């Protein structure tokens, strides 16, 4: 192995480890936002139909910043883009806590938008794992980094109940105590990227491609725009289905918990416990098997694993629509929803990367994240309206249309 190739392999191994640890911290930080956003929006606004605006604001913030952060990464490297995202999220968390204390709904949405902007930086971690990866291991490396979110993503929602207890001790507004853990995790992730993500993987990949064609990454100059567009569609559609149903699940579970505690005390604790467990299992489904799906995408093919994800998503939606009033059915549906999302997005991201030459790759990755998050923002708003008018079961059924579309267009991914 030549010296540049050896350098690339060594840096790639270290980069994956750093990104994985950063995803653990990011999962803790964003776990509270996912779980509490809809509840805070419904509580402060007084209208359950507006609860979807919280998730919509997260995705809107990510959509607005995905392309600018991707361009920044292409010019200055992944480290700068990731740390800027951490700063956005910290400012957003402070604004959300202030809005909850003042009970100002528009200010709440501003803070959540900034948290979403931070999530745009966090999303780039999975692409950063592919900058120096060999084609045969691209899905695996991407899956390992996505998997690392499992630790923080499962732990984050489970911190809701202790976070509320801690928040009461220090005088935090209701439903915001868990953000204390988010602040600590975001600060640690920022320091990690600044100190440890050196050399920058994207800048090194660009330098190797310029300096020595012999060590250029396999497939770095391949351009398959049709396959790339299908990959964007598969990732975006799967994310819309997942985000729309997941965003409304805390509100739906709140109804079930209150119904189960009618005439009894402890309803708030029951809600946070039920929501925390359900979202934790959902996040486990999202990230827990991502290395397996990455390995399958490398061995079995990207498009086949996308289709596997669509089959799992369809199963989840059918369970949720058939038994919307059963807590265990909703929990099972959310777990499967996460599994289907994982299979589709890991394989879709790998397909997008290998279908795009190195130079325009950050731009296309930013476009994919923008499409994914912007469409999910619209989906979350509509999901709140559907939940208010027709209920959780009908909401789950609407996602089947996007699953069918992704499946029917799958031949485009093989072009």
């Amino acid at each position: 192995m030549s010296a540049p190739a050896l350098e690339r392999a060594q840096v790639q191994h270290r980069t994956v480890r750093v990104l994985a640890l950063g995803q653990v911290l990011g999962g803790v930080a964003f776990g509270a936002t996912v779980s509490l956003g809809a509840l805070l929006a419904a509580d402060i606004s007084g209208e359950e139909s507006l609860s979807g605006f919280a998730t919509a604001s997260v995705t809107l913030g990510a959509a607005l910043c995905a392309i600018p952060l991707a361009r920044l990464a292409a010019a200055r490297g992944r480290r700068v883009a990731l740390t800027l995202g951490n700063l956005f999220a910290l400012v957003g968390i402070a604004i959300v806590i202030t809005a909850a204390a003042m009970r100002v709904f528009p200010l709440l949405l501003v803070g959540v938008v900034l948290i979403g902007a931070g999530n745009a930086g966090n999303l780039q971690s999975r692409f950063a794992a592919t900058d120096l990866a060999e084609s045969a291991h691209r899905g695996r490396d991407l899956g390992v980094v996505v998997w690392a979110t499992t630790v923080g993503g499962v732990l984050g929602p489970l911190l809701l109940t202790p976070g509320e207890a801690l928040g009461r001790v220090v005088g935090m507004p209701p439903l915001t105590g868990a953000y204390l853990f988010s602040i600590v995790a975001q600060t640690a992730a920022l320091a990690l990227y600044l100190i440890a993500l050196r050399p920058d993987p994207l800048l090194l990949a660009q330098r190797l491609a310029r300096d020595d064609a012999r060590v250029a990454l396999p497939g770095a100059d391949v351009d398959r725009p049709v396959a790339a567009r299908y990959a964007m569609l598969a990732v975006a559609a799967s994310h819309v289905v997942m985000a729309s149903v997941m965003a409304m699940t805390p509100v739906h579970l709140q109804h079930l918990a209150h119904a189960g505690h009618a005439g009894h005390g402890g309803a708030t604790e029951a809600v946070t416990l039920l929501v925390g467990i359900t979202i934790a299992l959902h996040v486990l489904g999202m990230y827990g098997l991502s290395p397996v799906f990455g390995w399958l995408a490398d061995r079995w093919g990207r498009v086949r694993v996308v289709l596997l994800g669509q089959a799992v998503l369809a199963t989840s939606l059918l369970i949720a629509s058939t038994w919307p009033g059963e807590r265990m059915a909703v929990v099972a549906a959310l777990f499967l929803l996460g599994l289907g999302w994982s299979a589709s997005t890991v394989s879709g991201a790998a397909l997008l990367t290998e279908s795009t030459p190195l130079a325009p790759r950050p731009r296309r990755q930013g476009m994919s994240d923008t499409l994914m998050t912007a469409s999910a923002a619209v989906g979350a708003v509509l999901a709140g309206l559907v939940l208010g008018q027709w209920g959780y079961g009908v909401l789950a059924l609407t996602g089947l249309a996007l699953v069918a579309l992704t499946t029917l267009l799958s031949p485009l991914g093989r072009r």
Side-chain angles (χ1 to χ4, degrees), residues 62-63 65-71 73-74 78 120 123-132 138 142 202 206 228 231-232 235 348-373:
C65 289
I67 291 179
L69 286 177
R71 290 177 176 172
R78 299 289 189 188
L123 287 172
Q124 286 196 9
S125 293
R126 71 195 196 283
F127 289 127
T130 67
D131 289 332
L132 294 168
R138 182 172 290 128
L142 189 152
L202 182 55
Q206 293 170 345
M232 292 183 189
V235 170
L351 177 62
L352 173 62
T353 299
E354 70 183 16
S355 301
T356 306
L358 182 61
R361 192 173 291 169
R363 178 176 58 84
R364 279 191 188 172
Q365 290 167 343
M367 290 173 60
S368 177
D369 282 347
T370 296
L371 176 63
M372 176 182 75
T373 50

Side-chain angles (χ1 to χ4, degrees), residues 159-245:
L159 292 175
L160 293 184
T161 300
E164 276 301 288
L166 179 62
R168 283 194 293 269
V169 171
V170 300
M172 297 279 289
L175 296 175
T176 64
Y179 284 115
L180 292 173
F181 300 118
S182 298
I183 293 172
V184 174
Q186 284 287 4
T187 303
L190 188 152
L192 173 71
Y193 292 138
L194 277 177
I195 297 170
L197 197 60
R198 298 173 183 273
D200 190 281
L202 182 55
L203 296 182
L204 177 59
Q206 293 170 345
R207 177 174 66 80
L208 291 174
R210 287 193 306 266
D211 293 349
D212 193 341
R214 291 175 300 172
V215 297
L217 299 180
D221 295 325
V222 173
D223 191 9
R224 296 192 295 148
V226 175
R229 285 194 289 270
Y230 174 75
M232 292 183 189
L233 169 67
V235 170
S238 301
H239 192 68
V240 170
V241 172
M242 184 277 295
S244 299
V245 176

Side-chain angles (χ1 to χ4, degrees), residues 272-369:
T272 56
L273 181 60
L274 180 59
V275 170
I277 292 174
T278 303
I279 298 301
L281 289 174
H282 170 67
V283 172
L284 177 63
M286 289 176 66
Y287 303 118
L289 292 182
S290 55
V292 176
F293 293 130
W295 179 84
L296 282 175
D298 289 335
R299 299 296 188 273
W300 197 24
R302 318 300 190 198
V303 177
R304 287 183 178 181
V305 180
V306 168
L307 293 177
L308 172 64
Q310 300 308 301
V312 178
L313 285 175
T315 303
S316 166
L317 296 173
L318 289 173
I319 292 174
S321 63
T322 304
W323 298 285
E326 299 292 331
R327 296 185 190 181
M328 291 301 101
V330 173
V331 171
L334 262 286
F335 177 72
L336 291 174
L337 190 72
L339 280 181
W341 176 91
S342 181
S344 298
T345 55
V346 167
S347 53
L351 177 62
L352 173 62
T353 299
E354 70 183 16
S355 301
T356 306
L358 182 61
R361 192 173 291 169
R363 178 176 58 84
R364 279 191 188 172
Q365 290 167 343
M367 290 173 60
S368 177
D369 282 347

Side-chain angles (χ1 to χ4, degrees), residues 259-271:
H261 284 75
H264 303 281
T268 300
E269 289 75 8
V271 169

Side-chain angles (χ1 to χ4, degrees), residues 372-391:
M372 176 182 75
T373 50
S375 54
V378 176
V381 172
L382 296 178
L385 299 177
V386 172
L387 180 69
Q389 291 295 321
W390 295 289

